[in-house]
Amino acid sequence: MINLNNFLKNATITLLFLAFSHNSFAMNIFATASKDKTIKIWKPNTDGNFTCIQTIDQTSGGHTRWIASLAFNKEGLLASGSYDKTIKIWKPNTDGKFTCIQTIDQNSGGHTAYIASLAFSKAGLLVSGSDDKTIKIWNQNENNQFELKQTLDCGYNGHAETVKSIVFNKAGLLVSGSWDNTIKIWKPNTDGNFTCIQTIDQTSGGHTDYITSIACNKDGLLASGSWDRTIKIWEPNTDGNFTCIQTIDQTSRGHTHWVTSVACNKDGLLTSGSLDITIKIWKHNPNWKQNQKKPFKCVQTIDQKSGSLRSSAKSISYNKDGLLVSGLFNGSIKIWKQAANNQFAHIQTIDQNSGSHTHSISSLAFIPSKKLDDFNKKLKNNTNYRELKIITHEE
């Protein structure tokens, strides 16, 4: 098996994480995080193109090693997880900048290895997955600080390797994907603690290699991407367990290399990125059972092999208005707008010359729509907001 660390060392440049803010207002704020140890905050100008308004580095309270994960909660707080083994919580100020209000480390019950994945529940729980093979559940107290509530490890039927992806589905189940090649389904008990109710491995139709990304669509289906070069679609049963209803591989217009990311938009489209340097758009057929067809079919393949910015998508995210953003291994960001027939047209590329990261983007996230109006007003009322930018810390 190929060693990921060696692969990334030999890669040209890598872009690690991207996060979007969800709101109907024109200014759709998103955040990116990278191997260059910085977090960048982006907003669109009047012409619709995105500009970096803040770069968070070590000199402004940021991480000391590269950042692997980002997530926004419904209140607009941003969580970041890093190879420095810490989680940082960031709050937007009235001037539009984010300030660190908490650092979670080993002394406060944190992880003993790098943080690979983060997610917030609708109820406000923060969940973190790590290279220490554990999942930690964090509850926000009355002082808006996050406290450790539960650690899910091997004693709780946890994972045996790095927990690479974490999501909540619409039913409130926690879904985790790991480099142990399994997907685990976790159900909250009456006391709020989580119990594993299903482990999906190769014997139950699961993947045969590392699981890199998991996404949920609006109809409750799960999509998982893997180094085995497949995407698998999972349907929940009445007992809460999931069954594989489709495996997308090369024979069904799937990817020819590792699948690095999957994401779903509000209309039910599934998007996947791969080291084969393509992004694929998959349309869901809700009547697939009656029509005796597959649940998803490929409606567009975006080939990124041409041009000087030839690179694979490491992270993919949608905002609620249909913008698709991809963070690339070469540190660039590409933005796509949905047109007719579910086709996406490229509208902007942000590279190092236009303020992007100097190494690969690991993750991408949008600010939730509930709080974006307030955030936009804060930016709009600040006459100097267009000048908000901190010099990136050089390694």
Side-chain angles (χ1 to χ4, degrees), residues 25 31 63 227 304 323 360:
F25 191 82
H63 292 283
W227 275 22
Q304 301 189 114
L323 282 182
S360 64

Side-chain angles (χ1 to χ4, degrees), residues 119-233:
F120 282 100
S121 72
K122 289 183 178 179
L125 292 175
L126 171 62
V127 181
S128 55
S130 170
D131 187 50
D132 65 12
K133 308 173 187 178
T134 70
I135 297 170
K136 289 181 179 284
I137 314 295
W138 306 88
N139 195 35
Q140 193 172 12
N141 63 24
E142 63 276 6
N143 297 318
N144 293 320
Q145 298 288 291
F146 286 89
E147 298 176 330
L148 181 63
K149 177 179 176 62
Q150 186 182 13
T151 298
L152 303 173
D153 54 19
C154 290
Y156 286 86
N157 194 25
H159 288 288
E161 293 295 341
T162 306
V163 183
K164 195 66 178 67
S165 184
I166 293 175
V167 295
F168 282 93
N169 75 351
K170 67 177 186 178
L173 296 176
L174 174 64
V175 184
S176 58
S178 169
W179 282 359
D180 63 10
N181 306 349
T182 70
I183 297 171
K184 289 182 179 284
I185 312 298
W186 306 84
K187 184 177 181 180
N189 305 320
T190 54
D191 61 2
N193 288 330
F194 285 81
T195 299
C196 181
I197 61 172
Q198 184 184 10
T199 297
I200 302 170
D201 58 18
Q202 189 175 349
T203 63
S204 49
H207 292 283
T208 60
D209 209 333
Y210 293 166
I211 293 158
T212 56
S213 185
I214 298 174
C216 304
N217 82 344
K218 62 185 181 68
D219 298 317
L221 299 179
L222 292 178
S224 56
S226 169
W227 275 22
D228 65 13
R229 308 184 182 194
T230 70
I231 301 166
K232 288 181 177 284
I233 308 299

Side-chain angles (χ1 to χ4, degrees), residues 372-385:
L372 189 56
D373 277 331
D374 291 339
F375 188 75
N376 288 328
K377 288 176 183 176
K378 291 173 184 177
L379 282 177
K380 195 172 183 180
N381 291 336
N382 180 2
T383 58
N384 295 320
Y385 76 91

